Amino acid sequence: MPHRDGPITGEQAKQHALVRLREAITRGDMVPAQRLVEAELAEQFGVTRASIRAALIDLTAAGLVERIPNRGARVRVVSVEEAVAITECRMVLEGLCAAKAAARATDEQVAELAALGEAMAKAVADGEPLTYSELNHRLHARIRDISGQQVAVELLERLNAQLVRHRFQLALRPGRPQRSLDEHLALIEAIRARDPKAAEAAAHAHLASVIEALSST
């Protein structure tokens, strides 16, 4: 919110703008190729244009924003080919996290993953693909948290943020949520069985399926 005496400035303002912009892009509120006009964003977020400019520089480095010569900034467009390449990297890192989670998960954490699996199954049965997509995202995030592999977690957060549009599109494809559900339930079961190799294999199988779906776009 704007300060009553004018826009907020400095590092606080930059961080405020950075958080708001990242959330808008990763939620899909700002879509690929959408122009990011500094003056408009500064007014919207109650910060200075310099703060917006600094935030856009950080988001460009993170792969969420791109600068077009003489045109300013826009939300970065991730091609199908790049989405496949990103998912290939995810496969390795998600497999590592799944294996670590299988070795570390407490009974309470396993129950939490199972509950997410049940909610995902309900979303598919009820024909709610966007709810399923959000639960899918939460499941992967929770497995990463349980893994304790912080380096992999940070890398995956950066990679996943670039795939948000493709994730939504896959969730809306007929038949895709059911196949994805089966893959996730196998992953949850492997973690429940405390079987790191099976968990890693299940993560790899799921992401290989995502790559196949992306490639057929």
Side-chain angles (χ1 to χ4, degrees), residues 48-102:
T48 61
R49 287 185 63 175
S51 301
I52 292 294
R53 193 173 304 120
L56 291 175
I57 289 170
D58 280 10
L59 291 171
T60 300
L64 295 180
V65 168
E66 59 187 347
R67 291 193 169 273
I68 308 300
N70 304 316
R71 296 285 301 277
R74 69 177 188 177
V75 179
R76 193 165 79 84
V77 177
V78 177
S79 68
V80 170
E81 292 77 13
E82 186 176 359
V84 168
I86 291 170
T87 306
E88 288 172 342
C89 295
R90 278 189 63 207
M91 182 186 292
V92 178
L93 294 167
E94 296 276 15
L96 171 62
C97 288
K100 293 276 189 181

Side-chain angles (χ1 to χ4, degrees), residues 153-190:
V153 169
E154 291 171 2
L155 290 168
L156 281 164
E157 286 175 352
R158 175 188 168 97
L159 294 173
N160 285 327
Q162 298 176 54
L163 293 175
V164 61
R165 201 70 186 166
H166 292 282
R167 178 163 62 88
F168 288 145
Q169 288 171 344
L170 287 184
L172 294 171
R173 187 179 300 181
R176 178 62 202 166
Q178 180 60 59
R179 179 171 178 183
S180 172
L181 173 64
D182 293 341
E183 294 159 2
H184 285 102
L185 293 179
L187 174 57
I188 293 169
E189 178 58 27

Side-chain angles (χ1 to χ4, degrees), residues 137-148:
H137 185 65
R138 284 173 53 191
L139 175 67
H140 281 283
R142 194 68 190 100
I143 290 171
R144 293 195 297 271
D145 289 343
I146 293 168
S147 78

